[in-house]
Amino acid sequence: MQSPRPSIAYASAYQKEAAILMQASPSLLTLFGLAVIVVGVGARINIMLVIILSALTTCLCSGASLVAAIATIGHYFTANRYMTVLWSILPLVGLLEHAGLPQASRTFIGRLGVNTPGHVLWLYFLLRQITAALGLTSLGGQAQMVRPLLAPMVEEAALRMKKQPLPDELSQKLKAEAAAVDNVAVFFGEDIFLAVASILLMETVLENAGLRISPWHLSFWAIPSALMAAAVTYIRMKRLDRAIGRRNRP
């Protein structure tokens, strides 16, 4: 019987070490991985490099060797490589934006008769939260929805409200509000969906702490938080419209 090739045996040994590492008891030293992310983001280093360094730091602080840490990262990358398919949509969004998608969205919002930025953001918030609650979190997002569609719509509504060119400060504020609305809506809406990763994570953490709670209960009690987020967002959008209206006064 022919013995396995050295490369296969070599990889198998480090896979076993990585498996033992993942089953080991957690250590507070692994939190240094979070520190790497905080420092890297604060220093504005390339985010992919920061994530890789954070993963390596976490593995090394948990007691793994450098080769085993790299093997662990490679294993999970190849096991979840289908996730990279989602990146293929970004060039398409860029081409649509170059072809005039923001201008088309401005025309569309004008035809709807929605005359204030707050109304546009509030309607998008409701749509985003409802779809997230149904598990359709990919229907929105910063790159594919906020930048090419929502932000131009909000700016067009502000132009119609002010009837004059927007100051750069107000334009940047509206873009920030559009990004925030998308984040808040999906953050509080997705927890209502039973099979979302956050619900399963909370169930696992609570179970490890000795609390057995059904995912149905976690999903149900996410509804009050979502309603409160919607109410707070509605008030904020009303205040935004009033603030823009005060700027119009002589």
Side-chain angles (χ1 to χ4, degrees):
M1 182 176 179
Q2 187 178 5
S3 60
R5 289 180 295 177
S7 60
I8 297 178
Y10 184 77
S12 177
Y14 282 106
Q15 287 177 357
K16 291 180 180 179
E17 182 180 347
I20 295 174
L21 172 65
M22 288 183 287
Q23 295 175 359
S25 58
S27 171
L28 292 178
L29 292 177
T30 57
L31 295 178
F32 278 110
L34 295 177
V36 172
I37 293 180
V38 172
V39 174
V41 172
R44 297 188 177 183
I45 303 174
N46 185 285
I47 190 63
M48 292 301 297
L49 178 60
V50 172
I51 292 173
I52 293 174
L53 290 177
S54 173
L56 286 174
T57 302
T58 302
C59 291
L60 293 175
C61 289
S62 61
S65 63
L66 179 60
V67 179
I70 296 175
T72 303
I73 296 173
H75 167 72
Y76 281 107
F77 178 80
T78 55
N80 298 280
R81 58 184 178 272
Y82 64 90
M83 295 295 293
T84 58
V85 176
L86 299 176
W87 299 348
S88 61
I89 196 66
L90 296 180
L92 175 60
V93 173
L95 288 174
L96 290 174
E97 186 174 352
H98 179 71
L101 184 60
Q103 290 74 16
S105 64
R106 291 175 185 271
T107 304
F108 175 74
I109 200 64
R111 292 177 179 175
L112 285 181
V114 183
N115 296 321
T116 68
H119 289 164
V120 177
L121 292 171
W122 170 241
L123 290 176
Y124 178 79
F125 181 93
L126 290 180
L127 177 64
R128 182 72 162 130
Q129 192 172 66
I130 291 172
T131 54
L134 296 176
L136 304 175
T137 57
S138 298
L139 289 182
Q142 303 296 329
Q144 64 269 36
M145 185 66 71
V146 174
R147 175 184 169 89
L149 289 175
L150 182 61
M153 288 182 178
V154 174
E155 288 184 309
E156 179 64 23
L159 281 171
R160 292 175 177 271
M161 185 177 180
K162 289 181 66 65
K163 296 180 171 54
Q164 57 183 338
L166 299 180
D168 183 66
E169 178 185 356
L170 178 58
S171 178
Q172 296 301 322
K173 177 177 176 58
L174 292 175
K175 292 177 182 178
E177 290 287 352
V181 161
D182 183 89
N183 284 340
V184 173
V186 72
F187 183 85
F188 288 97
E190 67 178 357
D191 287 343
I192 300 176
F193 186 61
L194 182 65
V196 75
S198 57
I199 290 291
L200 302 179
L201 175 62
M202 285 188 285
E203 181 193 14
T204 303
V205 171
L206 292 173
E207 185 175 356
N208 291 334
L211 300 174
R212 297 188 61 86
I213 299 179
S214 169
W216 289 101
H217 286 84
L218 294 173
S219 179
F220 176 79
W221 287 108
I223 296 176
S225 299
L227 294 176
M228 182 61 67
V232 171
T233 301
Y234 178 79
I235 295 172
R236 290 187 66 252
M237 295 305 103
K238 285 292 186 181
R239 293 180 61 184
L240 176 65
D241 286 342
R242 285 198 298 268
I244 296 175
R246 286 196 297 268
R247 293 190 181 191
N248 290 340
R249 296 173 185 174

